[in-house]
Amino acid sequence: MLNPVDHSPASRRDQFKAAVGNVAGERRRKQAIIIGKERRDAVVRAKRMRRADDNDEGMMYDEPFSDKIINEETVRAVQELKFLFSSSSKDSSQKKIEALRKLRRLLSCSSNPPVASAVEAGVVPILVKCLEFGSSDEQLVEAAWSLTNIASGDSELTLAILPALPLLIAHLGERSAAPVAEQCAWAVGNVAGEGEQARDLLSSQGALLPLAKLLLLNKPMLVKTAAWALSNIIKGPSSKAAVELFKVDGLSEAIIRHLTKGDEELVVEIAWVVVYITSLAESQTKLLIKSGLLPPLVAWLSSSESLSLLTPVLRSVGNLVAGDNSNTDALLDAAKDLPGGLFGCLVRCLGSEHRTLQKEAAWTVSNIVAGSLQHKQLVFGSRVVPTLLHLLATSTFDVRKEAAFALGNLSVMPAGESQLPQPIMEHLSMLVERGCLPGFINLVKSPDLEASRLGLQFLELVLRGLPNGQGSKLVEKEEGLAALEVLEYHDNDDLRSMANELIDKYYGEDYGLEEEYGPGIAEVVRGGEEYPSWRKGRGGI
Amino acid sequence: MELDEPKSQSQEERSRPPIADSAFIFPVWRATRRKHLPDSIFFASGNLERELLAKQVVLEITDEEKLRISCLEEEKQWRMQCPVVGCKAKLNGLQELETHFFTRHTAVCSVCSRVFPTTRLLDLHICESHDSFFQAKVARGHPMFKCLVDGCEAKFLNDASRHQHLVDKHKFPRSYEFHRKRHLSQKQRQRLHKHQGKAKPQDGASASQENDNICESKEGVLQEESAMEVEALTSAVSKLNTGDFLPSNVSFGRRHSRAFAFSAPRGRGRHKSKLNAG
């Protein structure tokens, strides 16, 4: 032996302890890609820069030039502009436009343009000047473009263009040329993407209605940008903007028209507007439904292959069914002629390779089956159930959790007045038969408190609902009792009480005895009878 | 689905001392709708995807970057302190949370494969169930049974009085049992003895899976024997229910033989051993 014998209690115990490893740290180390915070923010935030057009001739500032040179060029360009727009200059407007264009190209040359240098050099006041009424369309577009890209940067940069807001908003009006209105909408959209306060500011400066009016037009590029900007303004958390939108006459019809006939990119942006309306503005949503929102919505849900499109469409449907039964009924009706109906569409999403679609589709189903008994029966009869079971067994945590909500909601009677909602035996027993228990028991073991709770609640249903103690046996068989036992020590009062309650009630002293020793054994054990009834024979004792 | 409050949390009951577990009402499953606001974290991954797709060309986002950013955002969503009370671990991401949870907050006894959420409880279990040194001290009348609650220094002469303390002082449910008495047939005990020779300690997380898969006869035979010795030595007050007529040698029929993962019938059935089959 290498070590002298050690009789201390600690080391004796150590022999029996299972060793512990650390897997997560190693895996993280293996991930070689480091993404800088700036880069990450640029991707994640709700702001979009505009790159140079493909057919733009003239000098393009990309690969061959270093950052240093680009910054220097930018500063020089700003200074040139300063001179051109000062009162002492007598230069033609053409020269001014050329200078603006040069600046704009610098500010859109790469995915990380020198906007900070430009702002530092004092470009914003000049650009504001360029937005004056009476300026040529070209000048307005170039100035707004530069402002757009400045506003696509971090908070500091976005807020730097606030002085330009009143003019940008003014140029959203009906008399502006389409390219001008579009570029101004883009800049406004970036400011809205900054945050709640910026959104409130924009609303108070009157950006909302002009933008909404742009949706009435038939110009795809413009409508697309305006819709995107609008989605950034109305996304809340306050519902005020989403509601106020509808002050514009004909907005509902316009939204539905674009949803039905627009090209895919346009439909995507309009769908996001619908997402926020359905989430925040209840009566306006009803208005949209009345105007015919649902047919095109479900049509896209049924036919689209594009993740960009499916995401907002599915989410809109999800928001709708999170409302009330009448929305669900309306959707079912609108989709009745599509292959598989509404559930066929949802099965497509559930079976998608994209986790987000799966998760949000499962959430949608969970809200549908939280409706009437008829809704539950309709879902039960569809292909949704096998798909959900598969997800519960195999998918990632967030998807499994939603699938669990859906399957559980499917298994209980509608939440009515009663203290104890009854399980729907037909549904519950089928789900158990099809092997849903391991998935729920896995959730019980999860560190996420909500998931664990969910698992326990489903187990309770099974234990209570299945007759003749079948529930107890099945749960134990799938290691459910083991999972409950671990929770006996849990520091969360709720979980601990729940687990103990289940163990006490369904795995109490009498558990397992009847099967082993026949009926009547419980009385013997408790001391009331000496022999179980089957032992007593014809004469009795 | 609603979250039902257990009755013991209602206003009127707060003035009375909490009754251990009899006031608890299980919050049964209720099928209710769940709404999420636009800025809910539920929608975060979808929102991120939207931006990635819209800006992929403009910002020249590579596939690797896409993947990495998605991972980072997901980790941010699950950036939290471990939910277990007293554990100060800071975790990023669901994967890390789960790994941490299963390696630090589950401890597996390599003898009988019972799982405990803390090493302290595992230690107590090993002492009380698999350690004859412990049994000897108990027999000589030392108070060896420690209170299960971390921080409480109380010690007891037997399992029963500790149990009473847990119920009275720490509000444990009366039916709570730290020890499971599992009784195996002679055949299984023989099989287990053979296994014991080959048993090796294993990694925490995988052990709980693997041990479950190992032949069920690896259940606590030693536990049974030492538990019975303890019972023989303890006084009648240790039995919380009807009298003790436990024979020293018990054969207990085995049912439900399955290749994997089925453990001995558990639960509170202390009296199973008190009857001979047939």
Side-chain angles (χ1 to χ4, degrees):
Chain A
M1 257 205 309
L2 288 171
N3 300 319
V5 175
D6 183 354
H7 286 296
S8 68
S11 70
R12 237 194 353 271
R13 279 200 301 268
D14 286 346
Q15 299 172 51
F16 298 121
K17 278 194 208 175
V20 148
N22 181 7
V23 177
E26 274 180 34
R27 190 181 43 245
R28 285 256 300 285
R29 267 169 251 131
K30 280 190 194 139
Q31 272 170 330
I33 309 249
I34 313 286
I35 311 246
K37 185 170 187 302
E38 240 183 70
R39 172 72 170 164
R40 205 164 112 191
D41 287 345
V43 171
V44 166
R45 62 188 167 221
K47 301 174 189 170
R48 298 181 187 179
M49 70 171 286
R50 182 178 174 184
R51 290 294 289 268
D53 289 334
D54 284 334
N55 50 15
D56 189 14
E57 287 147 34
M59 193 169 188
M60 298 298 289
Y61 298 88
D62 47 22
E63 300 309 321
F65 298 94
S66 75
D67 276 353
K68 186 159 169 288
I69 295 183
I70 300 260
N71 282 320
E72 284 168 7
E73 281 290 306
T74 306
V75 172
R76 211 171 296 145
V78 174
Q79 278 156 355
E80 193 184 326
L81 272 171
K82 268 189 196 164
F83 173 68
L84 286 173
F85 280 89
S86 69
S87 46
S88 54
S89 160
K90 300 274 191 292
D91 295 271
S92 69
S93 41
Q94 193 51 37
K95 239 187 153 180
K96 287 178 187 172
I97 289 176
E98 269 167 31
L100 269 175
R101 194 171 293 147
K102 182 170 164 206
L103 174 70
R104 179 265 289 172
R105 286 202 187 109
L106 281 163
L107 294 183
S108 47
C109 64
S110 76
S111 57
N112 189 19
V115 288
S117 309
V119 170
E120 252 171 80
V123 76
V124 173
I126 308 170
L127 292 175
V128 173
K129 217 162 171 197
C130 295
L131 289 178
E132 274 168 0
F133 291 121
S135 312
S136 70
D137 286 350
E138 263 192 289
Q139 179 171 311
L140 292 173
V141 170
E142 296 290 347
W145 189 331
S146 287
L147 286 167
T148 298
N149 285 359
I150 295 172
S152 75
D154 63 29
S155 293
E156 209 183 305
L157 290 165
T158 304
L159 297 175
I161 78 153
L162 288 185
L165 274 184
L167 279 166
L168 285 168
I169 293 172
H171 287 300
L172 295 173
E174 289 140 342
R175 269 174 294 163
S176 293
V180 173
E182 185 191 342
Q183 201 55 59
C184 292
W186 200 320
V188 167
N190 277 342
V191 173
E194 169 51 33
E196 199 184 340
Q197 279 181 327
R199 293 198 270 277
D200 289 341
L201 180 64
L202 281 170
S203 282
S204 65
Q205 289 195 358
L208 194 61
L209 297 183
L211 264 180
K213 288 199 184 127
L214 290 175
L215 293 190
L216 303 174
L217 302 172
N218 263 318
K219 308 198 169 124
M221 293 293 294
L222 173 54
V223 174
K224 175 173 159 239
T225 305
W228 167 73
L230 217 48
S231 74
N232 264 0
I233 297 185
I234 68 172
K235 61 169 52 155
S238 157
S239 60
K240 209 154 155 269
V243 169
E244 235 188 85
L245 210 57
F246 285 81
K247 287 195 183 144
V248 173
D249 262 331
L251 184 69
S252 300
E253 288 76 19
I255 289 178
I256 292 162
R257 189 176 76 241
H258 293 305
L259 202 57
T260 313
K261 299 205 192 117
D263 69 76
E264 207 173 276
E265 281 189 8
L266 171 53
V267 173
V268 169
E269 302 303 341
I270 292 276
W272 280 104
V273 175
V274 173
V275 163
Y276 296 122
I277 295 173
T278 52
S279 175
L280 297 166
E282 207 183 305
S283 34
Q284 283 69 21
T285 301
K286 298 281 186 196
L287 190 63
L288 269 177
I289 294 178
K290 252 211 214 131
S291 308
L293 172 69
L294 301 186
L297 205 61
V298 295
W300 283 116
L301 196 60
S302 166
S303 65
S304 175
E305 303 278 336
S306 149
L307 178 62
S308 310
L309 212 162
L310 282 172
T311 303
V313 168
L314 174 62
R315 195 178 290 183
S316 299
V317 171
N319 286 337
L320 287 168
V321 301
D324 54 37
N325 282 341
S326 65
N327 283 349
T328 306
D329 290 329
L331 275 163
L332 285 168
D333 188 57
K336 65 180 187 289
D337 294 324
L338 295 169
L342 181 64
F343 302 132
C345 302
L346 291 172
V347 168
R348 275 187 84 224
C349 296
L350 288 170
S352 149
E353 52 170 342
H354 299 287
R355 266 173 51 193
T356 306
L357 286 184
Q358 293 175 317
K359 180 178 86 167
E360 297 192 19
W363 165 64
T364 304
V365 174
S366 79
N367 279 332
I368 293 177
V369 291
S372 69
L373 178 58
Q374 199 194 17
H375 291 146
K376 296 176 207 265
Q377 286 166 334
L378 281 170
V379 171
F380 184 70
S382 76
R383 287 215 49 78
V384 170
V385 173
T387 323
L388 284 176
L389 285 167
H390 178 73
L391 291 176
L392 180 68
T394 60
S395 190
T396 54
F397 174 74
D398 45 0
V399 176
R400 282 188 281 125
K401 200 164 143 183
E402 295 308 314
F405 271 113
L407 292 171
N409 284 351
L410 186 58
S411 310
V412 280
M413 292 296 278
E417 304 295 319
S418 67
Q419 273 295 90
L420 203 64
Q422 291 307 310
I424 302 175
M425 283 321 301
E426 193 194 341
H427 298 179
L428 186 64
S429 46
M430 185 272 231
L431 290 179
V432 172
E433 210 179 305
R434 302 277 221 101
C436 73
L437 275 178
F440 280 99
I441 290 168
N442 259 337
L443 288 177
V444 172
K445 298 193 227 173
S446 155
D448 177 35
L449 296 177
E450 195 190 13
S452 191
R453 203 166 190 278
L454 206 62
L456 288 173
Q457 285 169 311
F458 190 81
L459 289 186
E460 193 271 340
L461 267 183
V462 171
L463 292 166
R464 171 170 39 113
L466 296 191
N468 302 325
Q470 281 173 41
S472 315
K473 290 201 200 76
L474 283 168
V475 168
E476 181 184 4
K477 198 160 127 181
E478 301 293 347
E479 301 281 297
L481 179 52
L484 290 175
E485 285 174 344
V486 176
L487 286 185
E488 285 179 306
Y489 308 95
H490 206 285
D491 53 63
N492 179 283
D493 290 339
D494 215 23
L495 292 182
R496 193 179 59 241
S497 307
M498 288 167 77
N500 278 316
E501 170 91 1
L502 292 181
I503 296 179
D504 284 352
K505 193 158 179 194
Y506 297 102
Y507 296 98
E509 288 163 10
D510 303 338
Y511 177 63
L513 290 178
E514 287 222 346
E515 211 216 36
E516 181 73 17
Y517 298 109
I521 198 61
E523 287 72 36
V524 177
V525 160
R526 281 192 224 109
E529 294 280 343
E530 201 184 337
Y531 293 103
S533 52
W534 54 262
R535 179 82 185 266
K536 284 183 188 167
R538 249 174 269 139
I541 296 285
Chain B
M1 184 196 54
E2 281 174 43
L3 301 174
D4 277 327
E5 302 262 306
K7 202 161 138 202
S8 53
Q9 286 176 19
S10 66
Q11 279 291 350
E12 58 212 27
E13 301 235 1
R14 258 184 229 135
S15 54
R16 303 207 294 265
I19 308 162
D21 83 14
S22 58
F24 178 74
I25 294 184
F26 192 98
V28 294
W29 193 301
R30 302 189 113 78
T32 53
R33 293 184 148 90
R34 292 170 301 137
K35 207 168 146 76
H36 293 299
L37 287 177
D39 56 1
S40 162
I41 214 166
F42 182 77
F43 294 133
S45 64
N47 292 340
L48 173 64
E49 267 164 17
R50 176 193 184 189
E51 296 307 321
L52 280 171
L53 286 168
K55 298 187 325 213
Q56 185 154 25
V57 171
V58 168
L59 291 186
E60 299 158 29
I61 308 173
T62 66
D63 281 342
E64 293 159 327
E65 277 186 305
K66 237 176 140 176
L67 191 60
R68 185 77 186 108
I69 291 178
S70 306
C71 281
L72 288 171
E73 289 301 304
E74 192 251 331
E75 280 177 13
K76 226 165 67 174
Q77 183 186 337
W78 284 97
R79 179 170 298 155
M80 55 195 287
Q81 196 182 358
C82 175
V84 174
V85 161
C87 178
K88 305 272 189 301
K90 291 264 188 318
L91 305 155
N92 293 324
L94 185 61
Q95 194 58 51
E96 222 176 87
L97 175 63
E98 288 190 329
T99 312
H100 165 84
F101 198 74
F102 288 118
T103 53
R104 294 259 177 268
H105 298 298
T106 53
V108 186
C109 175
S110 57
V111 175
C112 66
S113 68
R114 269 197 79 188
V115 180
F116 299 85
T118 65
T119 40
R120 183 171 179 281
L121 287 170
L122 173 62
D123 285 350
L124 289 178
H125 159 79
I126 291 170
C127 275
E128 298 178 17
S129 306
H130 305 307
D131 189 355
S132 47
F133 187 72
F134 179 91
Q135 306 308 338
K137 299 246 8 187
V138 168
R140 280 192 220 111
H142 298 273
M144 297 296 290
F145 289 87
K146 296 196 193 139
C147 175
L148 300 182
V149 176
D150 203 357
C152 178
E153 298 297 326
K155 293 198 183 45
F156 304 88
L157 288 170
N158 52 54
D159 190 25
S161 35
R162 174 186 53 199
H163 183 285
Q164 198 59 42
H165 165 81
L166 289 173
V167 170
D168 294 337
K169 244 322 189 10
H170 300 293
K171 309 290 175 251
F172 273 54
R174 188 162 288 282
S175 51
Y176 175 87
E177 256 193 50
F178 186 49
H179 292 292
R180 290 274 169 277
K181 292 176 185 46
R182 255 164 259 140
H183 302 279
L184 306 171
S185 68
Q186 201 154 31
K187 205 178 186 185
Q188 265 136 343
R189 255 176 288 163
Q190 286 165 357
R191 243 191 294 156
L192 184 54
H193 278 302
K194 270 200 220 134
H195 259 280
Q196 293 297 78
K198 299 180 195 156
K200 280 178 219 131
Q202 293 163 15
D203 280 9
S206 53
S208 54
Q209 307 298 38
E210 268 185 86
N211 283 337
D212 286 342
N213 288 339
I214 288 173
C215 161
E216 56 175 308
S217 61
K218 214 168 183 275
E219 298 286 354
V221 160
L222 285 181
Q223 181 187 1
E224 178 218 3
E225 291 179 346
S226 51
M228 293 207 302
E229 278 170 39
V230 171
E231 274 187 45
L233 293 167
T234 56
S235 59
V237 77
S238 73
K239 284 288 164 272
L240 292 179
N241 286 314
T242 51
D244 179 4
F245 46 98
L246 176 71
S248 57
N249 248 329
V250 173
S251 75
F252 184 62
R254 225 344 136 255
R255 47 190 191 265
H256 306 303
S257 56
R258 265 182 76 200
F260 295 104
F262 184 69
S263 49
R266 285 140 107 150
R268 318 280 189 193
R270 239 166 308 183
H271 302 277
K272 282 183 223 172
S273 57
K274 292 171 186 172
L275 299 150
N276 280 322

